[in-house]
Amino acid sequence: MSGDTKRLRAVVKGVGSALPNRCVTNKELEETVDTSDEWIVQRTGIRQRYIAGEGETTSTLGIRAAQAALDRAGLTPDDIDLIVCATSTPDYTFPSTATMIQAGLGCTHGVAFDVQAVCAGFVFAVSTAEKFLVSGSHKRALVIGAETFSRILDWQDRTTCVLFGDGAGAMVLEAEEQSVAAAGGNLPRGVLATCLRSDGRHRAKLYVDGGPSTTKTVGFLRMEGKEVFRFAVGQVTDVMAETFASAGITAEDLDWFVPHQANRRIIDASAQKFGIPTEKVVLTVQDHGNTSAASIPLALSVACGDGRIKPGDLVMIEAIGGGFTWGAAVLRW
Ligand code: ACO
């Protein structure tokens, strides 16, 4: 008897990303709104962001990111039977952006749907896809975060318009048998733990002031920045602690910390609370701004592309978004 107990895990096979063609620097924003490069960099760490142009939408960015992730994984759309897209800026109220990406990829089987948890959307989407895969009902998933927040920004409001950008990132997850206790005491590969939370009482601190059933318009993003900041650091670190405990690891075991890229100061405070050194933190907020549900898969794609994240590495992702919604996950690459 081998005694080698196995179970299905959702294992990462590839990641990819896509950005709009147009890059907008802080200096360029100074021409249209009463702000300065110095203020934006000091308060947020953001130096530039990408803004979708005509013909670039959440689904077109999502399709490009998904195709890049499939290429990295050496797979084709036919290999995918589950597409979960996290977005708060869908092309249309319906159909879902996930089904538009499915059609755009030329994928004609399986199931595709959106999840909406604003900036925490990618963590919610990973957790959702993982449950499908470990149940055995589906074999390979594309998990996508795609956004065009530029289309819900009030470009006269300097307190919000300087913070966000557009983009998409995607990850291929595959259901794979992994030893429960891998040889040599190593942790198995795949998603090891996820923890999700929400508290709808905080709606007024971060919301969009329009929608089909209320104003019959799309609306604009509204935010009480200080309140979001305060809540973000407190709650995100709680959920990180729970996720570490559930995965049976500590912050010292991490190879990479890949947080939602909203604000450099929130990221630094969260990392410091667990003693995670700066060298282990993947930072892209300076280049992309806050791309909401796309920010984590964009950052993962950068860190995999430049060789930082390698097979076997322990990675934590975490995010907080409007609602509030928040969550974290630990994956072994
Ligand atoms: N340029 C110049 N000055 C500005 C700008 C700007 N773009 N925006 C605000 N100011 C001014 C304010 O008017 C204020 O001036 P006053 O003192 O004369 O009234 C001053 O700067 C300070 O403003 P605060 O809001 O107090 O600045 P703060 O240090 O809190 O930074 C910020 C603001 C960056 C928004 C910060 O609160 C933050 O990052 N909060 C978290 C936001 C966040 O992460 N949101 C995303 C959540 S994820 C999601 O689901 C979408």
Side-chain angles (χ1 to χ4, degrees), residues 34-36 39-40 43-44 118-119 149 158-159 162-164 206 221 223 225-226 228-229 260 262-263 265-266 290 292 320-322:
D34 180 17
T35 191
S36 67
W39 189 96
I40 301 171
R43 304 283 174 134
T44 71
V118 201
C119 298
F149 260 51
R158 68 175 183 174
T159 68
V162 303
L163 304 175
F164 295 90
L206 178 53
L221 181 147
M223 179 171 74
K226 265 196 198 323
V228 178
F229 194 102
H260 170 47
N263 183 312
R265 289 187 295 149
I266 297 177
N290 180 350
S292 192
I320 175 168

Side-chain angles (χ1 to χ4, degrees), residues 105-126:
L105 289 171
C107 187
T108 53
H109 64 280
V111 62
F113 59 88
D114 287 357
V115 300
Q116 209 272 47
V118 201
C119 298
F122 188 74
V123 181
F124 278 54
V126 166

Side-chain angles (χ1 to χ4, degrees), residues 113-171:
F113 59 88
D114 287 357
V115 300
Q116 209 272 47
V118 201
C119 298
F122 188 74
V123 181
F124 278 54
V126 166
S127 183
T128 304
E130 188 243 356
K131 285 162 183 63
F132 276 76
L133 295 177
V134 302
S135 79
S137 68
H138 291 74
K139 178 71 183 149
R140 275 188 218 93
L142 259 172
V143 185
I144 301 158
E147 303 279 17
T148 45
F149 260 51
S150 65
R151 307 239 157 97
I152 55 163
L153 294 175
D154 174 354
W155 286 97
Q156 312 297 315
D157 176 11
R158 68 175 183 174
T159 68
T160 54
C161 76
V162 303
L163 304 175
F164 295 90
D166 303 332
M171 172 189 275

